[in-house]
Amino acid sequence: MNICIRVFRFTCLSFLLGFSFTVLFATQPFWSELPSTQTIERHDSLTGFDITKYDLSLSINDQTHYLNGVVEAQVTAESNLTGIDYNLMGGTLNVTEVKVNDVISTYTFQNGIIHIFLNISAGQQFTTRVAYSGIPGNSPAPYNIGMLFTASAIYTLSNPDAGRYWWPSYDHPWDKALIDLHITVRNDWLVAGNGLRESIVDNGNGTKTHNWICSHPVATYVVGIAAGPYVEYLQQAGDLPIQNFVLPSQLNNASADFSNVPEMITYFSSIYGPYPFEKYGHVLVPMATYAAMEHQTMTTFGSQYITGSQTYESTVAHELAHQWMGNAVTPLTMQDVWLKESFATYSEFLWAHHHQGWQSGLQYLASQIQNYYINWENSNGPHTIYNPVYNELFAPPTYEKSASVLHMLRLKMGNANFQNFMQTWFSTYHDSNVITAEIKAMAEQVSGMNLDQFFQQWIYSPGIPSANLTYFVNQSGSLEVVAQSTSPTATLFDLDIPLHLANSTALDSVMVRATPEGFSNVIPYNSAVDNLNNLQVDPNHWLLVRAYTINAMQLISCLPANNSVTVTWNALVCPSEIIGYNVYRKILPNGSWTLANTLAIEGLSFTDNSLANNVTYQYYVTATNANGYESLPSNTLSATPIDFPFDWGFMVVDETRDGNGTTLSPNDQMVDSFYNSVLQGMPYSQWDYATMGAPTLSMLSHYPLVLWHCDDYSDFWIDDNISNLGSYVISGGKLVVSGWKYPGALPQSFFDQFFPDVTPSLHNTPVLLSAQSDIYTELHPDPAKLTPTWNGMLSMSYTFPGAQQALYTAEVSGSGTGNGEPIAIRTDNIGSLILLGFPLYCMMETDVRGFLLQILPQLYPPITSNDDNTITEVPQLICYPNPFVNKLNIRLNKTKNIPATLTIYNIKGQKIKQWHNFLGKELNWDGLNGNNLHTGAGIYLIEYVMNDKTICKKVMKLE
């Protein structure tokens, strides 16, 4: 039965594709002590009787829906019988007479059970005859089936147990029996049924009786009839008749959509074994419950799925395959329902790749079976295939998950064994019932494998695994693959994962094992390491796996300094023991790779010293395991060491965009005024990020001290400058950072490098009362700069739990968290880095000035001068027009003629032109460099230095 219609596209190849795998198991499987997964126990041995044949005579009034019927059953007693039970229920159906061996018998009929009293000895054959009549009803939700009436058709659906809603029988799948059908309907209708039609008898009263005879036993849930104003559309597959019943208006579409059925029958016969019954065919009905139902020899098909364009050919293939798997070989009970739906769903894929090509078949398998199920489980949670609950008998675990299991079993057994297994399964249990333990036993018999773990994890347990793989190589070219399975449930998965090396002329494919604890697969290999980047994991979608993750080295940063480069990386996460890391370097553009370290590196960073400045170096890193194998190379990063002269003093980088001037949205002038006040008397240059862009590393290299403030409420640029700032600090620079919420924008790798074991913690509500210190001036929020509802407390502050060097700790109100945690932290390693978990702008101005007068001279001693004579006025530097074309006017608004230096730099920090001992207040730059050559269009920096006071402006030159 197919209840999940999926739209698809095909293209496909033949079934038997050769593939060769090397299975590399070095230890006893962890599951070797598992008990047998199921004891073989059969329900049909417990009933005491065997029904060998039914003869059903049924008259149906399509207008009143009234039934008159008689069911005669031939029964063999397998033990002494005092009674036998049949099922009949729903609507107004009632028993009118019961006979045993043509003699009227006593019986009871209650709660859907007809109990017939007997006195039959073991081994005797006898007949029962039940006459009944009434209007049938449907089974309860979720199925709502039985005998269904529409304006143009009568049809039956009985899967899983609704035969009892329209005819009395022993309605259980384990007691299959022959059946003859004698169905009487109005004389202008045809009846489709199981088996071959023997005759149509005109009764002379406006009705006809249609007689259908079955040659093979049928389970009650696949007994089916349909009646309507049909025409017959006939086909042939060899000697097998194909009989289709369609409305005249459906004939053209049905002819197109069923045109491939003869080829399907031939193909599935080559896969499973000869077609098992006397005929095949379809009957179209206006069905809403299911898409189609695999009634034995005559599939009932929803007419809305007949389009004339073969859109639902997968459903045609699915229902046809049920004739072998489900109808001929029938699950003993519905707890084994997967035994039929798995093969039918897998046959959709088999037909797709047979009919239109292997790659299209794989596309169908991946999208319509494997991913279809994964998406369903994402919404519905992990499910177990075996013994589903009654309301979910026909859910995707029964269909798509179980079909995926067959595909994995095929991989495990190999193509030849798998085809042998399917044909042996069919031939052994043809016309019989089966249970899960029997299919496991047969698969083990054919393959010679112990499949305890396979069935335990896929059939009897829930969950879909993932797998992590790590590749290592040694100098001889051997490959070690460490593979680990992970599971969202308690299920322990042992996986065989195929690997394929694209374009390999040597070893085509190998199989590696993944276990929960991680498994080391060693594979002799003769290919260059670089080629392993083409190693494909399960490209043919053999496994039902959520994801494959290749554990790879990741180079995080490559920070240039003076004659050195510091590289950092993430630890390689792998079940294999990692004993160290190697760093490889080459000079760009044409250098060769060399090992930069002499001993394996135990940490996650390395400083490559004694390099040449202004030369670009490229790096990658590998991990080494305990077996002496190296992981595949990481990504590459490059860096160019430069000189850090630190010759220009103190610079303030202002990130502030121009706010609207309201509380929490200061404009640039407000922020500039604040810093001018708290830094009064401390010579500094100012870099206006909003107008000048990001300072280059070359520019930063001139300033031994940088105060970086990002005081906008929610926007910041500092996260775009992490690499340059990291290089600045490791090169000896002193960096102080203040601002709103910026710690949350810094990558964790930045903290790992400079503040190990620190993860910033946001306090998003107004709880900060003050920043406390035993050394530095206490800092208190400035109520004038905060919204009144904050009650003088600061919101959106960050603390830094785990920091080793705290300048301040947080004083937090009683309702908040983080009290006593570090709120301003420092680290010193060549350079110094201070992070403030709050914006200085929002603290009391006198407090901030006190703190800066203490901390800045510690970082940069020249700033300690308190000689007022050395503190010069702060002139204004005005450049206009900006942008300019041929001439830039530079005006200095000052009162004293103190010698100054005026320098023009390009955006890379290269000097273009300079005026020494400049005494004037204004000059014009004609765009020429020091050699009187024209400069190109671009951004230039105008720097004015007077008595260690530096002012910098950005201008743009146009062509």
Side-chain angles (χ1 to χ4, degrees), residues 435-652:
I435 63 175
T436 298
E438 289 169 331
I439 197 171
K440 172 180 175 292
M442 180 157 289
E444 290 181 327
Q445 174 188 333
V446 170
S447 67
M449 296 178 175
N450 182 332
L451 296 176
D452 281 352
Q453 172 64 20
F454 183 87
F455 274 76
Q456 185 64 42
Q457 68 191 22
W458 290 118
I459 302 299
Y460 297 109
S461 302
I464 308 172
S466 297
N468 302 305
L469 294 88
T470 312
Y471 303 144
F472 296 89
V473 294
N474 66 5
Q475 292 182 351
S476 67
S478 292
L479 173 67
E480 180 182 5
V481 180
V482 180
Q484 183 178 34
S485 64
T486 60
S487 173
T489 66
T491 307
L492 301 177
F493 285 92
D494 192 306
L495 305 175
D496 300 329
I497 303 173
L499 305 181
H500 176 75
L501 185 61
N503 303 319
S504 171
T505 57
L507 189 61
D508 177 63
S509 297
V510 295
M511 193 94 76
V512 296
R513 179 182 172 199
T515 62
E517 67 274 15
F519 192 86
S520 175
N521 304 266
V522 177
I523 304 164
Y525 225 86
N526 295 312
S527 181
V529 173
D530 287 345
N531 287 343
L532 294 180
N533 292 322
N534 296 322
L535 199 61
Q536 299 173 331
V537 181
D538 192 12
N540 291 326
H541 308 291
W542 285 105
L543 270 61
L544 180 65
V545 171
R546 286 190 173 277
Y548 295 106
T549 301
I550 306 302
N551 297 323
M553 289 298 305
Q554 181 66 36
L555 198 57
I556 302 172
S557 65
C558 193
L559 304 180
N562 187 19
N563 300 119
S564 69
V565 172
T566 297
V567 293
T568 61
W569 55 87
N570 286 328
L572 181 62
V573 179
C574 172
S576 179
E577 179 186 0
I578 302 300
I579 63 172
Y581 299 91
N582 288 324
V583 174
Y584 291 86
R585 139 190 17 105
K586 74 175 180 179
I587 298 175
L588 292 180
N590 299 316
S592 300
W593 290 108
T594 59
L595 184 64
N597 54 295
T598 55
L599 298 175
I601 303 164
E602 295 184 2
L604 300 177
S605 66
F606 173 75
T607 299
D608 193 13
N609 292 307
S610 302
L611 302 179
N613 284 343
N614 303 313
V615 174
T616 302
Y617 299 86
Q618 191 173 53
Y619 293 86
Y620 72 80
V621 62
T622 65
T624 302
N625 68 13
N627 297 329
Y629 284 67
E630 274 191 289
S631 70
L632 296 188
S634 71
N635 57 308
T636 61
L637 291 177
S638 302
T640 305
I642 63 171
D643 182 31
F644 282 78
F646 292 133
D647 54 353
W648 289 353
F650 172 32
M651 180 168 71
V652 175

